[in-house]
Amino acid sequence: ESLSMGADLEIAANGDLYASMGVRYSGGIYKSTDNGLNWRKVYDSQPNEWRIELACAPSNPDVVYALFENSSENGIPAIRKTNTGGALWQEVRTPLWYDQNCSSLERDWTRGQDWFDLIAIVDPTDENSVYIGAVDLFKTTDGGNSWTQISHWYTNFSCGYPPNRTVYADQHAMAFKPGSNSELLFGNDGGV
């Protein structure tokens, strides 16, 4: 891509490499099956799809999730999934989000910050359990058909979230603790 920059690089369970290009320009998703010697484009970004965050399923090398920044004004970031190693991509639902108002579910679960904080990880043993983050954290257990908001950045938030669900804002990193399939660490503007 002449104007694209690298956004993400992930390794599938079988060693295939996936790279996303874009950042502040349209790009796409590329795949290499020979350790990066050759690459082929497996997804062409739409004009308003800039940054792309990828997450490969450790339990299935054909499953990859992609979160897409939407650069259009008031755009809702998209989430897509492939079950075919990039041959076909399907759009999945995006989460609804409580920001600071308990009576108002927002559609833009990134508050327009998807250029800055956008991260995803797939559960090591379940290709349908995925965690995503932007300002707050969300989880699906059904491959993206439904999402649950699992944290909130605002400490005085009271929409049914217990105080221990308060997590500092702007999610940038996720990793399962080595040797654990159930303990997940989050990195954000407040630390780990």
Side-chain angles (χ1 to χ4, degrees):
E1 301 292 319
S2 59
L3 295 175
S4 290
M5 298 182 287
D8 198 6
L9 177 66
E10 299 291 336
I11 304 172
N14 63 357
D16 289 350
L17 301 174
Y18 290 87
S20 65
M21 303 295 287
V23 183
R24 304 310 294 167
Y25 306 95
S26 292
I29 301 171
Y30 295 81
K31 179 179 180 178
S32 174
T33 58
D34 59 7
N35 293 318
L37 292 175
N38 297 289
W39 294 86
R40 66 182 168 85
K41 196 174 212 179
V42 294
Y43 181 85
D44 245 334
S45 293
Q46 302 300 311
N48 62 332
E49 294 176 341
W50 286 5
R51 177 181 173 193
I52 305 169
E53 173 64 29
L54 302 171
C56 296
S59 61
N60 185 340
D62 291 327
V63 174
V64 181
Y65 292 83
L67 282 57
F68 294 82
E69 173 191 1
N70 189 330
S71 66
S72 63
E73 187 173 336
N74 299 318
I76 308 302
I79 303 173
R80 291 191 175 74
K81 173 185 178 182
T82 181
N83 294 314
T84 59
L88 298 170
W89 293 85
Q90 63 188 30
E91 192 158 347
V92 299
R93 293 177 190 241
T94 57
L96 295 175
W97 178 52
Y98 286 113
D99 186 4
Q100 296 183 54
N101 183 345
C102 296
S103 63
S104 175
L105 276 170
E106 304 291 330
R107 291 194 64 227
D108 182 359
W109 53 278
T110 71
R111 196 195 293 143
Q113 295 181 183
D114 42 1
W115 59 272
F116 174 65
D117 46 21
L118 195 62
I119 192 72
I121 194 168
V122 183
D123 183 286
T125 61
D126 182 359
E127 67 191 58
N128 292 307
S129 289
V130 182
Y131 297 84
I132 62 173
V135 175
D136 288 317
L137 299 163
F138 303 86
K139 179 183 180 181
T140 182
T141 58
D142 58 14
N145 290 319
S146 62
W147 294 91
T148 301
Q149 185 173 344
I150 60 172
S151 76
H152 199 275
W153 68 273
Y154 185 54
T155 55
N156 293 325
F157 189 74
S158 62
C159 298
Y161 289 89
N164 64 350
R165 290 279 179 98
T166 300
V167 176
Y168 205 94
D170 300 337
Q171 308 305 314
H172 299 291
M174 295 181 185
F176 279 89
K177 187 174 179 181
S180 172
N181 291 333
S182 61
E183 197 167 352
L184 182 56
L185 304 174
F186 302 100
N188 53 49
D189 283 4
V192 175

